Amino acid sequence: MPTAHSSEPIAIAVSAAERSTGCLEQRNLEIATRALFRDGLVVLEDVIDHAVLDRLNEKMVKDAYELQGRKDSPYNYNKGNIQQDPPLTTSCFDDSIYINPIVTQVTSTTLGPCPSLRFVSGNTALPPTAESPPASQPTHTDADFDHPTIPFALVINVPLVTMTPENGSTEIWLGTHRTTSIADQEGEHGDRASGCIRKDLLEKRRKERGPSQPVVKKGSVVVRDLRLWHGGKPNLGDVPRVMLAMIHFAPWYRNQMEVEFAEGLRARLTREKTGLHVAATFASDGDVLKGYLNRPYGNAYDFDQVDKIEGVFKA
């Protein structure tokens, strides 16, 4: 009989020594790598200083209310969950959030040396209103296209506060990244509800290894395989819950997205300093501030790659 695995994710308590060196010791790196292979997700605790998160959270909560009030609010699946970009300006940028060396060590171990950072945004669970009662996203995968069956992209989630079921922590279906395919999905890329997993497959999976809605401590970073089934849950509190989302792509994966940063960050985003290929364009701080809340969202982003290799590895 196969061993039943827990529905709760593996969490690694990062030590002060590891934070100081910017490097996990070998045992913890092995645990993280095994968790990503088996579960498709690992939590790295105590990675980011709380004061750094508090400063960004204050700004992004204000922005969330502005976005919520717009007629064209950038919502994903339902109006209680919006896509929200952080301000990538010189004064708002902190290396420990966006180019953390421990995170890059974990992603480069799975994806290969020097992954590409090609996406920086966020997901905010808004408090319910009369016009937008509590609602869950459908269970879906962000890989809403015919994708490789090996790891090719890892999502880096940074919650700015402790995430709980009360404030809308994400529901996750561990292990689903290993077998999912485009045939499992109902919506196609370009649909408002793309990537939704078929209901019959959800019920089958629930009997084998059901979902969980874990508590994720403030200061943690969640590393998740892009293919993993998941879904946003309603925020039942009274304050927006902001969670950043970045994507590291394997160095061989030919995605074309780019991220706009302030010009003053150029020297901090080099391959030598980050261990990443940061696919960046640069603008003045003023121009970044003018545009960061008006960017495309949802299906405007394409996580697929160009120039696919077709048919070579078919059985």
Side-chain angles (χ1 to χ4, degrees):
M1 292 289 291
T3 302
H5 297 303
S6 171
S7 293
E8 293 294 324
I10 296 293
I12 297 171
V14 177
S15 69
E18 289 171 320
R19 286 195 303 275
S20 177
T21 61
C23 187
L24 293 181
E25 55 92 12
Q26 285 180 306
R27 282 182 173 272
N28 277 342
L29 183 59
E30 179 186 354
I31 291 169
T33 304
R34 284 175 176 266
L36 283 170
F37 176 78
R38 187 191 73 179
D39 299 336
L41 185 144
V42 67
V43 181
L44 307 172
E45 296 181 339
D46 302 318
V47 175
I48 302 173
D49 182 79
H50 289 197
V52 171
L53 298 171
D54 290 342
R55 287 193 292 272
L56 184 58
N57 189 58
E58 182 178 4
K59 170 62 175 168
M60 293 193 70
V61 166
K62 291 179 181 177
D63 289 345
Y65 285 124
E66 178 182 336
L67 292 173
Q68 184 181 35
R70 292 184 178 181
K71 291 183 178 180
D72 59 343
S73 181
Y75 68 89
N76 287 317
Y77 299 102
N78 66 69
K79 294 185 177 180
N81 187 287
I82 59 171
Q83 184 170 329
Q84 179 182 354
D85 283 17
L88 297 176
T89 60
T90 310
S91 61
C92 292
F93 189 91
D94 192 279
D95 293 11
S96 67
I97 293 178
Y98 298 103
I99 49 174
N100 191 290
I102 290 175
V103 174
T104 301
Q105 180 194 21
V106 170
T107 62
S108 61
T109 300
T110 294
L111 298 174
C114 204
S116 294
L117 172 61
R118 292 187 171 273
F119 180 83
V120 179
S121 190
N123 303 104
T124 299
L126 297 168
T129 65
E131 295 77 22
S132 179
S136 298
Q137 290 184 342
T139 301
H140 64 280
T141 171
D142 293 335
D144 60 347
F145 49 89
D146 190 13
H147 52 74
T149 57
I150 58 175
F152 66 92
L154 295 173
V155 181
I156 316 304
N157 285 136
V158 179
L160 302 188
V161 297
T162 294
M163 290 199 306
T164 69
E166 176 69 18
N167 68 11
S169 64
T170 303
E171 181 181 84
I172 53 175
W173 295 66
L174 297 180
T176 53
H177 67 300
R178 297 183 65 180
T179 58
T180 194
S181 71
I182 191 69
D184 298 343
Q185 304 171 29
E186 293 180 338
E188 298 181 358
H189 183 76
D191 296 342
R192 189 67 168 183
S194 65
C196 295
I197 305 301
R198 289 166 30 204
K199 291 182 175 57
D200 61 311
L201 296 179
L202 292 175
E203 293 311 308
K204 179 182 178 183
R205 183 68 183 187
R206 195 182 301 276
K207 296 174 183 176
E208 300 169 358
R209 190 182 186 188
S212 65
Q213 194 181 357
V215 173
V216 179
K217 297 177 183 177
K218 185 177 180 179
S220 299
V221 176
V222 180
V223 183
R224 167 176 65 83
D225 194 297
L226 186 80
R227 298 169 292 173
L228 193 75
W229 299 358
H230 64 286
K233 305 298 285 185
N235 179 355
L236 304 177
D238 55 8
V239 179
R241 188 276 299 142
V242 183
M243 179 180 70
L244 301 181
M246 295 156 273
I247 302 179
H248 289 187
F249 290 98
W252 51 265
Y253 191 79
R254 296 173 297 282
N255 185 268
Q256 298 298 301
M257 296 186 299
E258 295 178 324
V259 181
E260 183 181 76
F261 296 90
E263 177 64 41
L265 298 172
R266 184 187 291 268
R268 292 158 64 179
L269 299 177
T270 64
R271 186 180 303 234
E272 292 73 23
K273 291 189 176 180
T274 65
L276 295 166
H277 168 222
V278 181
T281 62
F282 295 97
S284 68
D285 275 298
D287 284 343
V288 171
L289 283 173
K290 288 178 184 176
Y292 79 100
L293 290 182
N294 301 308
R295 296 222 169 89
Y297 59 94
N299 281 314
Y301 291 97
D302 190 349
F303 301 152
D304 202 354
Q305 67 172 339
V306 298
D307 186 27
K308 287 186 177 182
I309 299 175
E310 302 286 358
V312 176
F313 300 105
K314 301 292 185 183

Tab-separated table of all heavy atoms in Angstrom, residues 174-221:
chain	number	residue	atom	x	y	z
A	174	LEU	N	-1.474	19.506	-2.498
A	174	LEU	CA	-0.096	19.062	-2.609
A	174	LEU	C	0.027	17.817	-3.487
A	174	LEU	O	-0.810	16.916	-3.448
A	174	LEU	CB	0.476	18.781	-1.220
A	174	LEU	CG	0.563	19.990	-0.284
A	174	LEU	CD1	1.158	19.569	1.057
A	174	LEU	CD2	1.371	21.128	-0.894
A	175	GLY	N	1.087	17.799	-4.274
A	175	GLY	CA	1.392	16.651	-5.119
A	175	GLY	C	0.760	16.674	-6.494
A	175	GLY	O	1.141	15.867	-7.351
A	176	THR	N	-0.181	17.575	-6.729
A	176	THR	CA	-0.894	17.566	-8.010
A	176	THR	C	-0.026	18.030	-9.173
A	176	THR	O	-0.367	17.784	-10.336
A	176	THR	CB	-2.153	18.441	-7.930
A	176	THR	OG1	-1.801	19.749	-7.453
A	176	THR	CG2	-3.179	17.830	-6.985
A	177	HIS	N	1.079	18.695	-8.888
A	177	HIS	CA	1.960	19.177	-9.958
A	177	HIS	C	2.591	18.034	-10.750
A	177	HIS	O	2.993	18.219	-11.898
A	177	HIS	CB	3.075	20.039	-9.355
A	177	HIS	CG	4.030	19.259	-8.497
A	177	HIS	ND1	3.616	18.576	-7.373
A	177	HIS	CD2	5.373	19.031	-8.609
A	177	HIS	CE1	4.660	17.976	-6.820
A	177	HIS	NE2	5.726	18.236	-7.554
A	178	ARG	N	2.652	16.860	-10.155
A	178	ARG	CA	3.397	15.758	-10.771
A	178	ARG	C	2.614	15.046	-11.870
A	178	ARG	O	3.203	14.370	-12.719
A	178	ARG	CB	3.814	14.758	-9.695
A	178	ARG	CG	4.751	15.358	-8.667
A	178	ARG	CD	5.218	14.343	-7.653
A	178	ARG	NE	6.043	13.296	-8.267
A	178	ARG	CZ	6.585	12.287	-7.582
A	178	ARG	NH1	6.365	12.191	-6.282
A	178	ARG	NH2	7.316	11.386	-8.202
A	179	THR	N	1.312	15.161	-11.855
A	179	THR	CA	0.503	14.421	-12.833
A	179	THR	C	-0.429	15.299	-13.657
A	179	THR	O	-1.037	14.816	-14.614
A	179	THR	CB	-0.355	13.360	-12.110
A	179	THR	OG1	-1.178	14.007	-11.132
A	179	THR	CG2	0.537	12.336	-11.417
A	180	THR	N	-0.586	16.568	-13.310
A	180	THR	CA	-1.572	17.398	-13.994
A	180	THR	C	-1.164	17.699	-15.436
A	180	THR	O	0.026	17.721	-15.770
A	180	THR	CB	-1.804	18.710	-13.220
A	180	THR	OG1	-2.980	19.353	-13.717
A	180	THR	CG2	-0.624	19.658	-13.366
A	181	SER	N	-2.154	17.927	-16.275
A	181	SER	CA	-1.904	18.245	-17.680
A	181	SER	C	-3.021	19.152	-18.182
A	181	SER	O	-4.009	19.407	-17.486
A	181	SER	CB	-1.852	16.974	-18.528
A	181	SER	OG	-3.148	16.410	-18.660
A	182	ILE	N	-2.883	19.616	-19.407
A	182	ILE	CA	-3.895	20.479	-20.004
A	182	ILE	C	-5.240	19.766	-20.096
A	182	ILE	O	-6.308	20.394	-20.056
A	182	ILE	CB	-3.428	20.962	-21.404
A	182	ILE	CG1	-4.339	22.076	-21.944
A	182	ILE	CG2	-3.326	19.797	-22.373
A	182	ILE	CD1	-4.230	23.369	-21.190
A	183	ALA	N	-5.227	18.415	-20.155
A	183	ALA	CA	-6.474	17.652	-20.243
A	183	ALA	C	-7.284	17.714	-18.955
A	183	ALA	O	-8.479	17.406	-18.964
A	183	ALA	CB	-6.166	16.195	-20.591
A	184	ASP	N	-6.664	18.111	-17.850
A	184	ASP	CA	-7.362	18.200	-16.565
A	184	ASP	C	-8.189	19.477	-16.435
A	184	ASP	O	-8.956	19.624	-15.486
A	184	ASP	CB	-6.359	18.175	-15.405
A	184	ASP	CG	-5.559	16.889	-15.352
A	184	ASP	OD1	-5.977	15.911	-15.986
A	184	ASP	OD2	-4.514	16.882	-14.668
A	185	GLN	N	-8.023	20.398	-17.375
A	185	GLN	CA	-8.572	21.746	-17.214
A	185	GLN	C	-9.835	21.960	-18.036
A	185	GLN	O	-9.985	21.406	-19.122
A	185	GLN	CB	-7.510	22.785	-17.612
A	185	GLN	CG	-6.214	22.646	-16.831
A	185	GLN	CD	-5.111	23.527	-17.361
A	185	GLN	OE1	-5.360	24.590	-17.929
A	185	GLN	NE2	-3.870	23.094	-17.195
A	186	GLU	N	-10.711	22.824	-17.490
A	186	GLU	CA	-11.951	23.171	-18.183
A	186	GLU	C	-11.794	24.441	-19.011
A	186	GLU	O	-12.214	24.508	-20.147
A	186	GLU	CB	-13.081	23.337	-17.165
A	186	GLU	CG	-13.456	22.031	-16.467
A	186	GLU	CD	-14.583	22.214	-15.468
A	186	GLU	OE1	-14.783	23.359	-15.014
A	186	GLU	OE2	-15.255	21.221	-15.139
A	187	GLY	N	-11.205	25.471	-18.436
A	187	GLY	CA	-11.044	26.731	-19.152
A	187	GLY	C	-9.743	26.765	-19.915
A	187	GLY	O	-8.745	26.168	-19.516
A	188	GLU	N	-9.719	27.476	-21.039
A	188	GLU	CA	-8.521	27.621	-21.836
A	188	GLU	C	-7.876	28.972	-21.573
A	188	GLU	O	-8.523	29.904	-21.095
A	188	GLU	CB	-8.853	27.495	-23.327
A	188	GLU	CG	-9.418	26.144	-23.716
A	188	GLU	CD	-9.705	26.067	-25.199
A	188	GLU	OE1	-9.493	27.079	-25.895
A	188	GLU	OE2	-10.153	25.004	-25.648
A	189	HIS	N	-6.569	29.075	-21.882
A	189	HIS	CA	-5.893	30.355	-21.716
A	189	HIS	C	-6.602	31.420	-22.545
A	189	HIS	O	-6.916	31.216	-23.706
A	189	HIS	CB	-4.430	30.266	-22.148
A	189	HIS	CG	-3.682	31.548	-21.926
A	189	HIS	ND1	-3.261	31.948	-20.679
A	189	HIS	CD2	-3.331	32.532	-22.769
A	189	HIS	CE1	-2.663	33.114	-20.768
A	189	HIS	NE2	-2.682	33.489	-22.040
A	190	GLY	N	-6.853	32.538	-21.909
A	190	GLY	CA	-7.626	33.596	-22.548
A	190	GLY	C	-9.021	33.698	-21.979
A	190	GLY	O	-9.641	34.756	-22.032
A	191	ASP	N	-9.538	32.586	-21.429
A	191	ASP	CA	-10.826	32.634	-20.741
A	191	ASP	C	-10.655	33.326	-19.394
A	191	ASP	O	-9.583	33.282	-18.792
A	191	ASP	CB	-11.380	31.224	-20.493
A	191	ASP	CG	-11.695	30.487	-21.774
A	191	ASP	OD1	-11.809	31.165	-22.822
A	191	ASP	OD2	-11.829	29.257	-21.731
A	192	ARG	N	-11.742	33.935	-18.897
A	192	ARG	CA	-11.679	34.563	-17.572
A	192	ARG	C	-11.392	33.526	-16.490
A	192	ARG	O	-10.745	33.829	-15.496
A	192	ARG	CB	-13.023	35.271	-17.281
A	192	ARG	CG	-13.025	36.134	-16.032
A	192	ARG	CD	-12.126	37.342	-16.181
A	192	ARG	NE	-12.346	38.303	-15.108
A	192	ARG	CZ	-11.752	39.470	-15.019
A	192	ARG	NH1	-10.897	39.839	-15.951
A	192	ARG	NH2	-11.986	40.299	-14.027
A	193	ALA	N	-11.842	32.297	-16.683
A	193	ALA	CA	-11.650	31.229	-15.687
A	193	ALA	C	-10.741	30.143	-16.242
A	193	ALA	O	-11.031	28.960	-16.135
A	193	ALA	CB	-12.994	30.661	-15.260
A	194	SER	N	-9.626	30.545	-16.826
A	194	SER	CA	-8.735	29.555	-17.412
A	194	SER	C	-8.049	28.738	-16.323
A	194	SER	O	-7.855	29.193	-15.206
A	194	SER	CB	-7.675	30.248	-18.278
A	194	SER	OG	-6.839	31.058	-17.473
A	195	GLY	N	-7.677	27.513	-16.680
A	195	GLY	CA	-6.920	26.668	-15.775
A	195	GLY	C	-7.732	25.942	-14.729
A	195	GLY	O	-7.166	25.232	-13.883
A	196	CYS	N	-9.067	26.075	-14.737
A	196	CYS	CA	-9.896	25.424	-13.717
A	196	CYS	C	-9.841	23.908	-13.867
A	196	CYS	O	-9.947	23.373	-14.967
A	196	CYS	CB	-11.344	25.905	-13.836
A	196	CYS	SG	-11.556	27.655	-13.470
A	197	ILE	N	-9.705	23.225	-12.749
A	197	ILE	CA	-9.587	21.769	-12.757
A	197	ILE	C	-10.969	21.131	-12.805
A	197	ILE	O	-11.903	21.580	-12.139
A	197	ILE	CB	-8.818	21.281	-11.517
A	197	ILE	CG1	-7.446	21.969	-11.435
A	197	ILE	CG2	-8.664	19.765	-11.540
A	197	ILE	CD1	-6.557	21.742	-12.628
A	198	ARG	N	-11.095	20.082	-13.609
A	198	ARG	CA	-12.380	19.382	-13.760
A	198	ARG	C	-12.876	18.857	-12.414
A	198	ARG	O	-12.107	18.342	-11.597
A	198	ARG	CB	-12.222	18.221	-14.734
A	198	ARG	CG	-12.047	18.657	-16.181
A	198	ARG	CD	-11.564	17.532	-17.070
A	198	ARG	NE	-11.996	16.211	-16.621
A	198	ARG	CZ	-11.354	15.086	-16.940
A	198	ARG	NH1	-10.270	15.121	-17.686
A	198	ARG	NH2	-11.808	13.919	-16.512
A	199	LYS	N	-14.175	18.972	-12.196
A	199	LYS	CA	-14.766	18.597	-10.906
A	199	LYS	C	-14.604	17.113	-10.601
A	199	LYS	O	-14.416	16.717	-9.444
A	199	LYS	CB	-16.239	19.000	-10.881
A	199	LYS	CG	-16.460	20.504	-10.835
A	199	LYS	CD	-17.936	20.850	-10.768
A	199	LYS	CE	-18.152	22.358	-10.606
A	199	LYS	NZ	-17.523	23.138	-11.686
A	200	ASP	N	-14.670	16.252	-11.614
A	200	ASP	CA	-14.510	14.829	-11.353
A	200	ASP	C	-13.108	14.502	-10.851
A	200	ASP	O	-12.920	13.634	-9.990
A	200	ASP	CB	-14.838	14.008	-12.609
A	200	ASP	CG	-13.923	14.333	-13.780
A	200	ASP	OD1	-13.738	15.533	-14.081
A	200	ASP	OD2	-13.391	13.399	-14.396
A	201	LEU	N	-12.108	15.257	-11.359
A	201	LEU	CA	-10.740	15.034	-10.901
A	201	LEU	C	-10.534	15.551	-9.485
A	201	LEU	O	-9.777	14.963	-8.700
A	201	LEU	CB	-9.756	15.703	-11.857
A	201	LEU	CG	-9.733	15.151	-13.278
A	201	LEU	CD1	-8.745	15.920	-14.130
A	201	LEU	CD2	-9.398	13.666	-13.273
A	202	LEU	N	-11.212	16.646	-9.151
A	202	LEU	CA	-11.125	17.176	-7.787
A	202	LEU	C	-11.668	16.169	-6.786
A	202	LEU	O	-11.059	15.931	-5.731
A	202	LEU	CB	-11.900	18.485	-7.669
A	202	LEU	CG	-11.339	19.693	-8.420
A	202	LEU	CD1	-12.295	20.871	-8.287
A	202	LEU	CD2	-9.964	20.059	-7.899
A	203	GLU	N	-12.800	15.553	-7.091
A	203	GLU	CA	-13.397	14.592	-6.163
A	203	GLU	C	-12.524	13.347	-6.034
A	203	GLU	O	-12.373	12.793	-4.936
A	203	GLU	CB	-14.805	14.222	-6.627
A	203	GLU	CG	-15.788	15.377	-6.548
A	203	GLU	CD	-15.738	16.071	-5.189
A	203	GLU	OE1	-15.852	15.373	-4.159
A	203	GLU	OE2	-15.565	17.302	-5.145
A	204	LYS	N	-11.939	12.920	-7.123
A	204	LYS	CA	-11.046	11.764	-7.071
A	204	LYS	C	-9.826	12.081	-6.223
A	204	LYS	O	-9.408	11.280	-5.368
A	204	LYS	CB	-10.633	11.374	-8.491
A	204	LYS	CG	-9.676	10.192	-8.534
A	204	LYS	CD	-9.266	9.871	-9.962
A	204	LYS	CE	-8.269	8.707	-9.997
A	204	LYS	NZ	-7.812	8.420	-11.382
A	205	ARG	N	-9.248	13.253	-6.443
A	205	ARG	CA	-8.049	13.638	-5.697
A	205	ARG	C	-8.350	13.842	-4.213
A	205	ARG	O	-7.526	13.532	-3.347
A	205	ARG	CB	-7.461	14.920	-6.294
A	205	ARG	CG	-6.164	15.374	-5.623
A	205	ARG	CD	-5.039	14.406	-5.901
A	205	ARG	NE	-3.817	14.798	-5.204
A	205	ARG	CZ	-2.640	14.214	-5.370
A	205	ARG	NH1	-2.535	13.218	-6.221
A	205	ARG	NH2	-1.594	14.606	-4.697
A	206	ARG	N	-9.505	14.370	-3.909
A	206	ARG	CA	-9.883	14.628	-2.518
A	206	ARG	C	-9.844	13.336	-1.687
A	206	ARG	O	-9.512	13.356	-0.502
A	206	ARG	CB	-11.284	15.241	-2.472
A	206	ARG	CG	-11.650	15.875	-1.142
A	206	ARG	CD	-13.058	16.414	-1.178
A	206	ARG	NE	-13.242	17.421	-2.214
A	206	ARG	CZ	-12.945	18.707	-2.056
A	206	ARG	NH1	-12.463	19.139	-0.913
A	206	ARG	NH2	-13.159	19.558	-3.046
A	207	LYS	N	-10.176	12.209	-2.315
A	207	LYS	CA	-10.166	10.923	-1.612
A	207	LYS	C	-8.740	10.408	-1.405
A	207	LYS	O	-8.481	9.638	-0.482
A	207	LYS	CB	-10.981	9.899	-2.398
A	207	LYS	CG	-12.463	10.246	-2.513
A	207	LYS	CD	-13.186	9.260	-3.420
A	207	LYS	CE	-14.648	9.652	-3.600
A	207	LYS	NZ	-15.349	8.750	-4.552
A	208	GLU	N	-7.827	10.834	-2.272
A	208	GLU	CA	-6.449	10.347	-2.195
A	208	GLU	C	-5.591	11.229	-1.280
A	208	GLU	O	-4.855	10.717	-0.428
A	208	GLU	CB	-5.831	10.322	-3.599
A	208	GLU	CG	-6.563	9.417	-4.573
A	208	GLU	CD	-6.092	9.618	-5.998
A	208	GLU	OE1	-5.223	10.498	-6.232
A	208	GLU	OE2	-6.592	8.910	-6.890
A	209	ARG	N	-5.669	12.509	-1.485
A	209	ARG	CA	-4.895	13.484	-0.710
A	209	ARG	C	-5.562	14.833	-0.874
A	209	ARG	O	-5.340	15.546	-1.849
A	209	ARG	CB	-3.439	13.540	-1.186
A	209	ARG	CG	-2.514	14.342	-0.283
A	209	ARG	CD	-1.104	14.381	-0.854
A	209	ARG	NE	-0.171	15.017	0.061
A	209	ARG	CZ	1.088	15.324	-0.227
A	209	ARG	NH1	1.566	15.039	-1.423
A	209	ARG	NH2	1.869	15.910	0.663
A	210	GLY	N	-6.403	15.173	0.087
A	210	GLY	CA	-7.231	16.364	-0.043
A	210	GLY	C	-6.449	17.652	0.116
A	210	GLY	O	-5.250	17.652	0.391
A	211	PRO	N	-7.136	18.778	-0.041
A	211	PRO	CA	-6.483	20.080	0.039
A	211	PRO	C	-6.273	20.520	1.491
A	211	PRO	O	-6.817	19.919	2.428
A	211	PRO	CB	-7.480	21.000	-0.666
A	211	PRO	CG	-8.812	20.388	-0.347
A	211	PRO	CD	-8.575	18.900	-0.357
A	212	SER	N	-5.500	21.563	1.666
A	212	SER	CA	-5.340	22.200	2.970
A	212	SER	C	-5.302	23.708	2.775
A	212	SER	O	-5.013	24.201	1.679
A	212	SER	CB	-4.058	21.738	3.671
A	212	SER	OG	-2.906	22.150	2.958
A	213	GLN	N	-5.613	24.419	3.834
A	213	GLN	CA	-5.544	25.881	3.836
A	213	GLN	C	-4.647	26.277	5.007
A	213	GLN	O	-5.109	26.629	6.084
A	213	GLN	CB	-6.939	26.484	3.969
A	213	GLN	CG	-6.986	27.970	3.638
A	213	GLN	CD	-8.381	28.557	3.791
A	213	GLN	OE1	-9.338	27.854	4.095
A	213	GLN	NE2	-8.499	29.868	3.583
A	214	PRO	N	-3.331	26.218	4.802
A	214	PRO	CA	-2.402	26.316	5.924
A	214	PRO	C	-2.243	27.735	6.470
A	214	PRO	O	-2.471	28.726	5.775
A	214	PRO	CB	-1.078	25.834	5.322
A	214	PRO	CG	-1.195	26.188	3.870
A	214	PRO	CD	-2.636	25.999	3.520
A	215	VAL	N	-1.832	27.800	7.711
A	215	VAL	CA	-1.360	29.046	8.302
A	215	VAL	C	0.091	29.241	7.872
A	215	VAL	O	0.909	28.328	7.995
A	215	VAL	CB	-1.455	29.008	9.841
A	215	VAL	CG1	-0.797	30.229	10.456
A	215	VAL	CG2	-2.906	28.901	10.283
A	216	VAL	N	0.397	30.419	7.336
A	216	VAL	CA	1.762	30.739	6.917
A	216	VAL	C	2.218	31.943	7.727
A	216	VAL	O	1.637	33.026	7.639
A	216	VAL	CB	1.836	31.044	5.400
A	216	VAL	CG1	3.270	31.388	5.008
A	216	VAL	CG2	1.333	29.855	4.589
A	217	LYS	N	3.271	31.756	8.510
A	217	LYS	CA	3.716	32.797	9.431
A	217	LYS	C	4.292	34.004	8.695
A	217	LYS	O	4.915	33.869	7.637
A	217	LYS	CB	4.777	32.237	10.374
A	217	LYS	CG	4.307	31.117	11.283
A	217	LYS	CD	5.470	30.599	12.120
A	217	LYS	CE	5.069	29.429	12.994
A	217	LYS	NZ	6.227	28.890	13.739
A	218	LYS	N	4.078	35.173	9.260
A	218	LYS	CA	4.694	36.396	8.755
A	218	LYS	C	6.208	36.215	8.749
A	218	LYS	O	6.789	35.641	9.676
A	218	LYS	CB	4.295	37.562	9.656
A	218	LYS	CG	4.771	38.927	9.200
A	218	LYS	CD	4.239	39.979	10.164
A	218	LYS	CE	4.668	41.372	9.799
A	218	LYS	NZ	4.122	42.384	10.751
A	219	GLY	N	6.850	36.699	7.693
A	219	GLY	CA	8.286	36.520	7.530
A	219	GLY	C	8.649	35.317	6.695
A	219	GLY	O	9.821	35.099	6.378
A	220	SER	N	7.635	34.525	6.315
A	220	SER	CA	7.866	33.313	5.521
A	220	SER	C	7.852	33.619	4.031
A	220	SER	O	7.276	34.617	3.576
A	220	SER	CB	6.792	32.263	5.815
A	220	SER	OG	6.797	31.880	7.168
A	221	VAL	N	8.449	32.711	3.278
A	221	VAL	CA	8.367	32.692	1.825
A	221	VAL	C	7.865	31.317	1.409
A	221	VAL	O	8.349	30.300	1.905
A	221	VAL	CB	9.735	32.969	1.175
A	221	VAL	CG1	9.645	32.843	-0.344
A	221	VAL	CG2	10.242	34.362	1.553
